[in-house]
Amino acid sequence: PMPRFKDSRGGNIIPQIPLFDLLTKYNGVKFFDSVKAGIQTRCRFTITKLPPYLIFHLKRFSKNNFTAEKNPTIVNFPVKNLQLNDHFAFESPFPSLIDTKFNLVSNVCHDLPAGLGKEAQQDPLQYGTYRVHLRHPASDQWYEIQDLHVAETIPQLISLSESLFSIYASSSSSSSTSGEPEKKTDRHVSFTPLPPTTVKRAA
């Protein structure tokens, strides 16, 4: 997609990507190849069941022989009504009873100082800071927490942060924390790799 944001120095354009583009790895259609000990293996992954809570960890940091780098890509994710029923093949005789709608309950993001760029050759994990977004279930108010500082925030700003961890609760679990009765559903997670195809790599 077309980049919409500039970095902290106002120069480079920061790319963006929808969360669903990252989840295509587990739709059971896309193949992935890996080579170990000269053997090439091809497999694909499928999510067949869902747990009451989902934790997304976005891999933002990478290291090479010289330095560590951070990927500043903005991942667009919904704060409410993350719907997964159209993206995975769930194994259930009653698909309509599976709770596939999730709401964000917490978000952890990582920030770098404005003057810290790639040319500085500094480890972003040593100089960065963390912020946490938490939702108060009773009032549905979002708060931003950094060290001892707590301030109110709005959901529109949360989805624009450089998220590192995002924690979602199913609609039945999130409603139970607000005092509403919890609906019983069959919720478990299972990552199912298909039988791999092994091919010897030519010398």
Side-chain angles (χ1 to χ4, degrees):
M2 182 66 64
R4 295 186 303 176
F5 307 100
K6 294 185 177 181
D7 64 8
S8 56
R9 294 173 298 167
N12 299 327
I13 299 297
I14 299 178
Q16 58 165 335
I17 186 173
L19 176 63
F20 288 112
D21 286 3
L22 304 180
L23 296 180
T24 55
K25 178 179 180 180
Y26 306 104
N27 61 8
V29 177
K30 191 174 182 179
F31 284 92
F32 295 88
D33 296 323
S34 62
V35 177
K36 291 184 179 179
I39 303 298
Q40 179 178 349
T41 302
R42 167 169 288 192
C43 61
R44 52 185 178 179
F45 303 92
T46 304
I47 294 181
T48 58
K49 296 181 181 180
L50 290 172
Y53 292 91
L54 293 175
I55 302 177
F56 296 115
H57 173 210
L58 304 179
K59 186 179 179 181
R60 291 195 173 275
F61 303 101
S62 60
K63 289 187 176 182
N64 53 37
N65 295 331
F66 303 98
T67 184
E69 294 182 353
K70 177 186 176 182
N71 185 346
T73 301
I74 300 295
V75 178
N76 303 130
F77 56 88
V79 175
K80 285 188 176 182
N81 298 328
L82 173 65
Q83 186 60 262
L84 300 177
N85 61 337
D86 295 331
H87 298 273
F88 307 113
F90 301 115
E91 295 179 352
S92 174
F94 306 102
S96 60
L97 297 181
I98 301 178
D99 193 356
T100 59
K101 184 181 295 184
F102 289 78
N103 298 317
L104 187 70
V105 295
S106 180
N107 181 65
V108 180
C109 56
H110 181 269
D111 301 316
L112 284 177
L116 188 65
K118 291 184 178 181
E119 65 277 1
Q121 300 296 318
Q122 295 174 325
D123 190 345
L125 290 174
Q126 295 182 3
Y127 294 90
T129 58
Y130 294 88
R131 290 179 293 127
V132 178
H133 301 111
L134 289 175
R135 183 182 70 90
H136 187 261
S139 62
D140 199 30
Q141 173 64 52
W142 280 93
Y143 293 90
E144 181 179 282
I145 304 172
Q146 185 174 13
D147 296 331
L148 298 179
H149 301 280
V150 180
E152 294 184 355
T153 187
I154 57 177
Q156 291 81 356
L157 296 179
I158 297 175
S159 59
L160 300 181
S161 62
E162 295 183 10
S163 177
L164 189 62
F165 292 95
S166 296
I167 303 177
Y168 281 85
S170 63
S171 57
S172 57
S173 297
S174 57
S175 63
S176 64
T177 59
S178 302
E180 300 178 10
E182 181 178 1
K183 179 177 62 175
K184 300 296 182 179
T185 56
D186 180 19
R187 297 167 300 181
H188 298 83
V189 66
S190 175
F191 296 93
T192 308
L194 298 181
T197 301
T198 303
V199 180
K200 291 186 177 181
R201 186 174 61 177

